[in-house]
Amino acid sequence: MSRSLSITAPETQAEHRLRALLETGLPLTPRPWRTLAEQCGMSEGEVMACVQRWQDVGLIKRMGLVVRHHALGVCANAMVVWNVPDDVVGELGRRLAAEPAVTLCYRRPRRLPDWPYNLFCMIHGTRRDRVLAALDEIVERQALQAIPHRVLFSLKAYKQRGGRYTREDDSHDRRTPQPA
């Protein structure tokens, strides 16, 4: 089987069902892989091997937790964007990622001339003033006063969801040609 076919087409109906179930998230049970196996007609080992294979070929890039922070009262969410010299952006990114208040930190290319920022980090909190106070502490602790940055607070909560591995209208094996 070619690599592209293994990414786009489950080999069995059980694997197709597993993909669909993974889109809804892992079951909140003591043994989620076993629960999925029971729902798919597979063994726990087969489910784990299948997920590993999908990770190996790139169908599943990563697995993580989607936190619906607004439901928890965490409504002051700031993306802090930094214009960091390229020769130190990696090191500064690691330092910011280690800060307790920073929940996400990553590098992106600049989009000059309008967007000079290349380092992004998120700080979540229950109130804007607390988020800004946390940022002030980070700037002081990390000696970042000379690094240009902007604070962009979220104005809207968008729907959050995990990975999608099947088409929503896909009720059969994807190897079957679809009408255009």
Side-chain angles (χ1 to χ4, degrees), residues 23-39:
E23 289 182 3
T24 66
L26 291 178
L28 298 176
T29 63
R31 298 202 49 189
W33 302 117
R34 182 172 58 188
T35 303
L36 286 169
E38 292 166 356
Q39 294 172 335

Side-chain angles (χ1 to χ4, degrees), residues 88-101:
V88 298
V89 69
E91 190 265 328
L92 179 56
R94 286 185 288 280
R95 288 181 12 220
L96 285 175
E99 285 284 342

Side-chain angles (χ1 to χ4, degrees), residues 58-80:
L59 174 67
I60 297 175
K61 301 280 188 223
R62 64 186 172 99
M63 296 185 83
L65 180 67
V66 175
V67 177
R68 301 195 194 308
H69 50 275
H70 279 257
L72 300 173
V74 180
C75 300
N77 307 299
M79 172 67 74
V80 184

Side-chain angles (χ1 to χ4, degrees), residues 69 74-82 96 99-105 120-139 141 149-154:
H69 50 275
V74 180
C75 300
N77 307 299
M79 172 67 74
V80 184
V81 295
W82 306 84
L96 285 175
E99 285 284 342
V102 173
T103 57
L104 179 68
C105 187
F120 299 67
C121 69
M122 287 296 299
I123 302 174
H124 297 283
T126 56
R127 295 187 350 218
R128 281 182 179 230
D129 60 330
R130 290 182 180 170
V131 168
L132 292 171
L135 175 59
D136 288 344
E137 291 171 10
I138 291 169
V139 167
R141 191 169 33 255
H149 64 279
R150 289 179 58 192
V151 181
L152 310 170
F153 278 95
S154 300

Side-chain angles (χ1 to χ4, degrees), residues 157-168:
Y158 292 92
K159 180 180 178 180
Q160 295 175 289
R161 66 182 202 180
R164 294 292 180 250
Y165 312 109
T166 61
R167 293 188 314 232
E168 292 185 23

Side-chain angles (χ1 to χ4, degrees), residues 43-59:
S43 72
E44 185 176 23
E46 288 172 325
V47 165
M48 293 172 75
C50 190
V51 170
Q52 182 63 57
R53 185 176 74 248
W54 290 339
Q55 287 178 312
D56 292 344
V57 300
L59 174 67

Side-chain angles (χ1 to χ4, degrees), residues 79-84 86 106-121 148-153:
M79 172 67 74
V80 184
V81 295
W82 306 84
N83 182 359
V84 181
D86 291 329
Y106 54 94
R107 181 181 187 178
R108 288 287 184 264
R110 304 171 198 277
R111 300 290 183 217
L112 298 173
D114 300 318
W115 191 257
Y117 307 104
N118 61 342
L119 188 63
F120 299 67
C121 69
H149 64 279
R150 289 179 58 192
V151 181
L152 310 170
F153 278 95

